[in-house]
PDB file of all heavy atoms in Angstrom:
ATOM      1  N   GLN C 380     -11.511   2.931  -5.820  1.00 86.00           N
ATOM      2  CA  GLN C 380     -10.661   1.807  -6.244  1.00 86.00           C
ATOM      3  C   GLN C 380     -10.748   0.645  -5.272  1.00 86.00           C
ATOM      4  O   GLN C 380     -10.859  -0.507  -5.669  1.00 86.00           O
ATOM      5  CB  GLN C 380      -9.214   2.275  -6.397  1.00 86.00           C
ATOM      6  CG  GLN C 380      -8.256   1.184  -6.860  1.00 86.00           C
ATOM      7  CD  GLN C 380      -8.634   0.624  -8.228  1.00 86.00           C
ATOM      8  OE1 GLN C 380      -8.962   1.373  -9.137  1.00 86.00           O
ATOM      9  NE2 GLN C 380      -8.593  -0.690  -8.371  1.00 86.00           N
ATOM     10  N   VAL C 381     -10.711   0.930  -3.969  1.00 92.00           N
ATOM     11  CA  VAL C 381     -10.781  -0.176  -3.007  1.00 92.00           C
ATOM     12  C   VAL C 381     -12.190  -0.752  -2.949  1.00 92.00           C
ATOM     13  O   VAL C 381     -12.372  -1.959  -2.730  1.00 92.00           O
ATOM     14  CB  VAL C 381     -10.289   0.269  -1.612  1.00 92.00           C
ATOM     15  CG1 VAL C 381     -11.291   1.170  -0.903  1.00 92.00           C
ATOM     16  CG2 VAL C 381      -9.983  -0.950  -0.741  1.00 92.00           C
ATOM     17  N   GLU C 382     -13.211   0.081  -3.180  1.00 91.00           N
ATOM     18  CA  GLU C 382     -14.582  -0.444  -3.227  1.00 91.00           C
ATOM     19  C   GLU C 382     -14.716  -1.431  -4.385  1.00 91.00           C
ATOM     20  O   GLU C 382     -15.317  -2.505  -4.244  1.00 91.00           O
ATOM     21  CB  GLU C 382     -15.575   0.706  -3.394  1.00 91.00           C
ATOM     22  CG  GLU C 382     -15.583   1.723  -2.261  1.00 91.00           C
ATOM     23  CD  GLU C 382     -16.303   1.222  -1.023  1.00 91.00           C
ATOM     24  OE1 GLU C 382     -16.985   0.189  -1.119  1.00 91.00           O
ATOM     25  OE2 GLU C 382     -16.171   1.865   0.037  1.00 91.00           O
ATOM     26  N   ARG C 383     -14.170  -1.072  -5.543  1.00 92.00           N
ATOM     27  CA  ARG C 383     -14.236  -1.969  -6.697  1.00 92.00           C
ATOM     28  C   ARG C 383     -13.386  -3.222  -6.464  1.00 92.00           C
ATOM     29  O   ARG C 383     -13.754  -4.321  -6.894  1.00 92.00           O
ATOM     30  CB  ARG C 383     -13.782  -1.240  -7.962  1.00 92.00           C
ATOM     31  CG  ARG C 383     -14.780  -0.192  -8.458  1.00 92.00           C
ATOM     32  CD  ARG C 383     -14.374   0.366  -9.800  1.00 92.00           C
ATOM     33  NE  ARG C 383     -13.183   1.190  -9.702  1.00 92.00           N
ATOM     34  CZ  ARG C 383     -13.190   2.485  -9.427  1.00 92.00           C
ATOM     35  NH1 ARG C 383     -14.332   3.109  -9.213  1.00 92.00           N
ATOM     36  NH2 ARG C 383     -12.069   3.175  -9.370  1.00 92.00           N
ATOM     37  N   THR C 384     -12.245  -3.057  -5.800  1.00 94.00           N
ATOM     38  CA  THR C 384     -11.396  -4.205  -5.520  1.00 94.00           C
ATOM     39  C   THR C 384     -12.097  -5.187  -4.591  1.00 94.00           C
ATOM     40  O   THR C 384     -12.027  -6.405  -4.788  1.00 94.00           O
ATOM     41  CB  THR C 384     -10.063  -3.752  -4.899  1.00 94.00           C
ATOM     42  OG1 THR C 384      -9.367  -2.919  -5.831  1.00 94.00           O
ATOM     43  CG2 THR C 384      -9.187  -4.950  -4.547  1.00 94.00           C
ATOM     44  N   ASN C 385     -12.787  -4.674  -3.580  1.00 94.00           N
ATOM     45  CA  ASN C 385     -13.532  -5.553  -2.681  1.00 94.00           C
ATOM     46  C   ASN C 385     -14.594  -6.340  -3.452  1.00 94.00           C
ATOM     47  O   ASN C 385     -14.809  -7.529  -3.202  1.00 94.00           O
ATOM     48  CB  ASN C 385     -14.179  -4.746  -1.559  1.00 94.00           C
ATOM     49  CG  ASN C 385     -13.167  -4.236  -0.551  1.00 94.00           C
ATOM     50  OD1 ASN C 385     -12.004  -4.616  -0.577  1.00 94.00           O
ATOM     51  ND2 ASN C 385     -13.597  -3.367   0.338  1.00 94.00           N
ATOM     52  N   GLY C 386     -15.254  -5.681  -4.393  1.00 94.00           N
ATOM     53  CA  GLY C 386     -16.222  -6.374  -5.229  1.00 94.00           C
ATOM     54  C   GLY C 386     -15.567  -7.421  -6.108  1.00 94.00           C
ATOM     55  O   GLY C 386     -16.120  -8.510  -6.327  1.00 94.00           O
ATOM     56  N   TYR C 387     -14.384  -7.100  -6.615  1.00 95.00           N
ATOM     57  CA  TYR C 387     -13.630  -8.046  -7.448  1.00 95.00           C
ATOM     58  C   TYR C 387     -13.225  -9.272  -6.634  1.00 95.00           C
ATOM     59  O   TYR C 387     -13.334 -10.415  -7.099  1.00 95.00           O
ATOM     60  CB  TYR C 387     -12.397  -7.323  -7.997  1.00 95.00           C
ATOM     61  CG  TYR C 387     -11.444  -8.165  -8.811  1.00 95.00           C
ATOM     62  CD1 TYR C 387     -11.878  -8.920  -9.894  1.00 95.00           C
ATOM     63  CD2 TYR C 387     -10.083  -8.183  -8.505  1.00 95.00           C
ATOM     64  CE1 TYR C 387     -10.992  -9.681 -10.644  1.00 95.00           C
ATOM     65  CE2 TYR C 387      -9.187  -8.926  -9.253  1.00 95.00           C
ATOM     66  CZ  TYR C 387      -9.648  -9.680 -10.326  1.00 95.00           C
ATOM     67  OH  TYR C 387      -8.767 -10.431 -11.065  1.00 95.00           O
ATOM     68  N   LEU C 388     -12.799  -9.063  -5.406  1.00 97.00           N
ATOM     69  CA  LEU C 388     -12.453 -10.179  -4.535  1.00 97.00           C
ATOM     70  C   LEU C 388     -13.677 -11.055  -4.274  1.00 97.00           C
ATOM     71  O   LEU C 388     -13.590 -12.285  -4.259  1.00 97.00           O
ATOM     72  CB  LEU C 388     -11.898  -9.660  -3.211  1.00 97.00           C
ATOM     73  CG  LEU C 388     -10.533  -8.975  -3.256  1.00 97.00           C
ATOM     74  CD1 LEU C 388     -10.249  -8.271  -1.941  1.00 97.00           C
ATOM     75  CD2 LEU C 388      -9.435  -9.966  -3.569  1.00 97.00           C
ATOM     76  N   GLU C 389     -14.804 -10.402  -4.075  1.00 95.00           N
ATOM     77  CA  GLU C 389     -16.046 -11.116  -3.778  1.00 95.00           C
ATOM     78  C   GLU C 389     -16.450 -12.043  -4.922  1.00 95.00           C
ATOM     79  O   GLU C 389     -16.929 -13.154  -4.692  1.00 95.00           O
ATOM     80  CB  GLU C 389     -17.156 -10.099  -3.511  1.00 95.00           C
ATOM     81  CG  GLU C 389     -18.379 -10.653  -2.829  1.00 95.00           C
ATOM     82  CD  GLU C 389     -18.209 -10.792  -1.325  1.00 95.00           C
ATOM     83  OE1 GLU C 389     -17.506  -9.958  -0.704  1.00 95.00           O
ATOM     84  OE2 GLU C 389     -18.784 -11.756  -0.779  1.00 95.00           O
ATOM     85  N   THR C 390     -16.253 -11.583  -6.150  1.00 95.00           N
ATOM     86  CA  THR C 390     -16.748 -12.343  -7.298  1.00 95.00           C
ATOM     87  C   THR C 390     -15.687 -13.192  -7.980  1.00 95.00           C
ATOM     88  O   THR C 390     -16.034 -14.173  -8.650  1.00 95.00           O
ATOM     89  CB  THR C 390     -17.348 -11.392  -8.348  1.00 95.00           C
ATOM     90  OG1 THR C 390     -16.337 -10.453  -8.763  1.00 95.00           O
ATOM     91  CG2 THR C 390     -18.533 -10.623  -7.775  1.00 95.00           C
ATOM     92  N   SER C 391     -14.413 -12.851  -7.827  1.00 95.00           N
ATOM     93  CA  SER C 391     -13.376 -13.546  -8.586  1.00 95.00           C
ATOM     94  C   SER C 391     -12.426 -14.391  -7.731  1.00 95.00           C
ATOM     95  O   SER C 391     -11.878 -15.378  -8.207  1.00 95.00           O
ATOM     96  CB  SER C 391     -12.536 -12.535  -9.389  1.00 95.00           C
ATOM     97  OG  SER C 391     -13.347 -11.859 -10.311  1.00 95.00           O
ATOM     98  N   PHE C 392     -12.230 -14.012  -6.483  1.00 96.00           N
ATOM     99  CA  PHE C 392     -11.355 -14.796  -5.610  1.00 96.00           C
ATOM    100  C   PHE C 392     -12.143 -15.773  -4.746  1.00 96.00           C
ATOM    101  O   PHE C 392     -11.804 -16.956  -4.639  1.00 96.00           O
ATOM    102  CB  PHE C 392     -10.532 -13.877  -4.705  1.00 96.00           C
ATOM    103  CG  PHE C 392      -9.890 -14.592  -3.543  1.00 96.00           C
ATOM    104  CD1 PHE C 392      -8.911 -15.557  -3.756  1.00 96.00           C
ATOM    105  CD2 PHE C 392     -10.285 -14.318  -2.236  1.00 96.00           C
ATOM    106  CE1 PHE C 392      -8.337 -16.234  -2.686  1.00 96.00           C
ATOM    107  CE2 PHE C 392      -9.718 -14.997  -1.166  1.00 96.00           C
ATOM    108  CZ  PHE C 392      -8.741 -15.952  -1.387  1.00 96.00           C
ATOM    109  N   LEU C 393     -13.211 -15.318  -4.149  1.00 95.00           N
ATOM    110  CA  LEU C 393     -13.894 -16.090  -3.114  1.00 95.00           C
ATOM    111  C   LEU C 393     -14.668 -17.312  -3.599  1.00 95.00           C
ATOM    112  O   LEU C 393     -14.639 -18.354  -2.936  1.00 95.00           O
ATOM    113  CB  LEU C 393     -14.837 -15.150  -2.346  1.00 95.00           C
ATOM    114  CG  LEU C 393     -15.202 -15.548  -0.921  1.00 95.00           C
ATOM    115  CD1 LEU C 393     -13.957 -15.751  -0.069  1.00 95.00           C
ATOM    116  CD2 LEU C 393     -16.100 -14.480  -0.313  1.00 95.00           C
ATOM    117  N   PRO C 394     -15.389 -17.250  -4.739  1.00 93.00           N
ATOM    118  CA  PRO C 394     -16.269 -18.366  -5.104  1.00 93.00           C
ATOM    119  C   PRO C 394     -15.554 -19.722  -5.211  1.00 93.00           C
ATOM    120  O   PRO C 394     -14.430 -19.809  -5.703  1.00 93.00           O
ATOM    121  CB  PRO C 394     -16.822 -17.938  -6.471  1.00 93.00           C
ATOM    122  CG  PRO C 394     -16.788 -16.451  -6.435  1.00 93.00           C
ATOM    123  CD  PRO C 394     -15.532 -16.117  -5.681  1.00 93.00           C
ATOM    124  N   LEU C 395     -16.208 -20.752  -4.712  1.00 90.00           N
ATOM    125  CA  LEU C 395     -15.788 -22.152  -4.819  1.00 90.00           C
ATOM    126  C   LEU C 395     -14.516 -22.467  -4.034  1.00 90.00           C
ATOM    127  O   LEU C 395     -13.876 -23.490  -4.264  1.00 90.00           O
ATOM    128  CB  LEU C 395     -15.600 -22.561  -6.287  1.00 90.00           C
ATOM    129  CG  LEU C 395     -16.818 -22.363  -7.192  1.00 90.00           C
ATOM    130  CD1 LEU C 395     -16.481 -22.797  -8.612  1.00 90.00           C
ATOM    131  CD2 LEU C 395     -18.012 -23.149  -6.664  1.00 90.00           C
ATOM    132  N   ARG C 396     -14.148 -21.604  -3.096  1.00 94.00           N
ATOM    133  CA  ARG C 396     -12.954 -21.862  -2.287  1.00 94.00           C
ATOM    134  C   ARG C 396     -13.339 -22.306  -0.876  1.00 94.00           C
ATOM    135  O   ARG C 396     -14.371 -21.899  -0.343  1.00 94.00           O
ATOM    136  CB  ARG C 396     -12.062 -20.620  -2.202  1.00 94.00           C
ATOM    137  CG  ARG C 396     -11.364 -20.278  -3.511  1.00 94.00           C
ATOM    138  CD  ARG C 396     -10.482 -19.043  -3.346  1.00 94.00           C
ATOM    139  NE  ARG C 396      -9.854 -18.690  -4.601  1.00 94.00           N
ATOM    140  CZ  ARG C 396      -8.663 -19.129  -5.004  1.00 94.00           C
ATOM    141  NH1 ARG C 396      -7.960 -19.946  -4.216  1.00 94.00           N
ATOM    142  NH2 ARG C 396      -8.151 -18.751  -6.157  1.00 94.00           N
ATOM    143  N   ARG C 397     -12.481 -23.100  -0.266  1.00 94.00           N
ATOM    144  CA  ARG C 397     -12.607 -23.507   1.122  1.00 94.00           C
ATOM    145  C   ARG C 397     -11.295 -23.218   1.830  1.00 94.00           C
ATOM    146  O   ARG C 397     -10.221 -23.333   1.227  1.00 94.00           O
ATOM    147  CB  ARG C 397     -12.941 -24.992   1.223  1.00 94.00           C
ATOM    148  CG  ARG C 397     -14.280 -25.370   0.611  1.00 94.00           C
ATOM    149  CD  ARG C 397     -15.438 -24.795   1.406  1.00 94.00           C
ATOM    150  NE  ARG C 397     -16.731 -25.200   0.835  1.00 94.00           N
ATOM    151  CZ  ARG C 397     -17.376 -24.514  -0.095  1.00 94.00           C
ATOM    152  NH1 ARG C 397     -16.846 -23.399  -0.585  1.00 94.00           N
ATOM    153  NH2 ARG C 397     -18.551 -24.933  -0.553  1.00 94.00           N
TER     154      ARG C 397
END
Side-chain angles (χ1 to χ4, degrees):
Q380 181 61 44
V381 73
E382 298 284 348
R383 289 188 291 273
T384 298
N385 288 351
Y387 176 53
L388 291 168
E389 196 81 34
T390 59
S391 298
F392 165 65
L393 205 56
L395 303 179
R396 290 181 182 269
R397 297 292 182 270

